[in-house]
Amino acid sequence: MTRTALIQGGSGGIGRALSAVIRASGEFDQLIVTARDPATVGSDDPNTHAVALDLTSDTSIEEAAASVRQLTDRLHLVITTAGLLKDDALEIRPEKKLTDLNRASLMQVFDVNCFGPFLWYKALYPCLRHREALTIATLSARVSSIGDNRLGGWHSYRASKTAQNMLTQNLSLELRRTNPQAIVVGLHPGTVDTDLSKPFQSGVSPDKLFSPEQSAQYLWSVLSALTVERSGQVIDWNDQTIMP
Ligand SMILES: NC(=O)c1ccc[n+]([C@@H]2O[C@H](COP(=O)([O-])OP(=O)(O)OC[C@H]3O[C@@H](n4cnc5c(N)ncnc54)[C@H](OP(=O)(O)O)[C@@H]3O)[C@@H](O)[C@H]2O)c1
């Protein structure tokens, strides 16, 4: 049986580090890595395949899913790392208060963080509806927790990740009906030194700021120990369940 892993977002800090950890694990016969610009995936491993994917485009999602289907008819590990918090070109920045809300920013942030990942899973469904071991992990964030939110702010980022968590639980319940081995989770990587967090690192103590490689190792430990009982949860880098 050929085992295939698929990572979305291979040019990002955590996506790139996770790709390396998964390759090094030797657990998969092939690794498919997507990026908006597949040239950025940069691996000369013959068992790594780069595929172009922009999660905000239905055409791109369809074309990328067709490329995946040419490589395999079943996926065993699917990780989606897309995240949007701030984008100067698109004039998106984390909102501090109600009056900062803006429809275009809300739509874009929800598109990348929530709609895109699950429309991607829909397009991949022909490769997900098998009965073998399957783990689907979407990068979430601790700030998605409603119960843990005592600071406010970051409205669109927080809310898009909270909505993402609900779709995680829904997919978990749906796949469980046909595949008792299916596990669907959200993952919080910790605070990680990447482009996404760079503008917001000033208050973070150095021991709480992980390198992408550190975070990827922690996440791989979590993924390797997952059991079906935890499907539907959001789990942090330290294997603790984050309250909804
Ligand atoms: N860094 C942290 O401290 C931290 C904390 C909590 C949660 N997270 C979450 O961890 C995940 C990875 O973030 P990171 O820190 O590695 O950030 P990053 O280096 O900025 O990477 C962001 C990723 O988002 C992807 N992306 C953005 N727009 C996209 C689009 N339209 N279509 C497809 N992909 C798109 C990029 O994909 P391409 O490779 O295709 O460009 C890139 O891989 C995110 O979900 C983030 O919310 C990070």
Side-chain angles (χ1 to χ4, degrees):
M1 179 183 71
T2 302
R3 282 175 51 80
T4 302
L6 166 64
I7 297 205
Q8 180 282 330
S11 80
I14 296 170
R16 182 181 296 280
L18 270 172
S19 303
V21 168
I22 287 170
R23 253 194 307 273
S25 77
E27 288 202 15
F28 296 91
D29 302 290
Q30 57 177 353
L31 174 64
I32 305 170
V33 184
T34 78
R36 282 170 293 177
D37 176 1
T40 58
V41 169
S43 166
D44 46 20
D45 168 24
N47 297 319
T48 297
H49 309 278
V51 167
L53 172 63
D54 181 340
L55 286 175
T56 62
S57 157
D58 287 339
T59 307
S60 175
I61 286 177
E62 282 309 323
E63 288 175 358
S67 300
V68 171
R69 285 197 299 272
Q70 280 177 1
L71 291 162
T72 186
D73 65 350
R74 61 198 63 199
L75 294 162
H76 300 92
L77 174 64
V78 178
I79 301 179
T80 300
T81 69
L84 175 58
L85 173 60
K86 181 177 188 292
D87 186 320
D88 291 334
L90 296 173
E91 296 185 11
I92 292 171
R93 54 193 67 87
E95 309 88 346
K96 291 187 174 152
K97 53 189 190 308
L98 178 72
T99 49
D100 292 336
L101 289 183
N102 164 290
R103 188 180 299 277
S105 296
L106 280 159
M107 297 287 280
Q108 185 70 20
V109 172
F110 268 75
D111 212 4
V112 173
N113 295 350
C114 177
F115 308 150
F118 283 82
L119 291 168
W120 176 226
Y121 300 151
K122 174 187 168 186
L124 294 173
Y125 189 63
C127 300
L128 303 177
R129 63 179 170 211
H130 55 76
R131 288 169 186 244
E132 295 162 15
L134 166 66
T135 298
I136 302 174
T138 315
L139 269 286
S140 185
R142 190 179 302 283
V143 296
S144 67
S145 165
I146 294 174
D148 192 53
N149 181 5
R150 288 178 179 80
L151 286 176
W154 291 23
H155 297 54
S156 52
Y157 184 77
R158 280 184 190 273
S160 63
K161 294 284 188 180
T162 311
Q164 181 208 99
N165 297 346
M166 179 60 87
L167 295 181
T168 291
Q169 168 70 346
N170 268 4
L171 183 59
S172 155
L173 294 169
E174 184 174 332
L175 289 183
R176 184 179 298 172
R177 291 183 197 123
T178 50
N179 182 355
Q181 296 195 74
I183 301 174
V184 188
V185 291
L187 292 177
H188 169 61
T191 303
V192 189
D193 185 12
T194 64
D195 290 348
L196 182 137
S197 69
K198 279 245 158 33
F200 312 100
Q201 290 176 2
S202 56
V204 182
S205 65
D207 59 313
K208 295 228 167 79
L209 183 64
F210 301 149
S211 69
E213 292 72 24
Q214 252 179 311
S215 173
Q217 281 296 347
Y218 292 138
L219 294 176
W220 180 243
S221 299
V222 171
L223 286 166
S224 302
L226 273 180
T227 56
V228 288
E229 291 73 26
R230 302 192 79 186
S231 189
Q233 296 181 2
V234 179
I235 301 168
D236 76 5
W237 59 274
N238 195 27
D239 208 22
Q240 300 301 301
T241 301
I242 294 179
M243 74 169 114

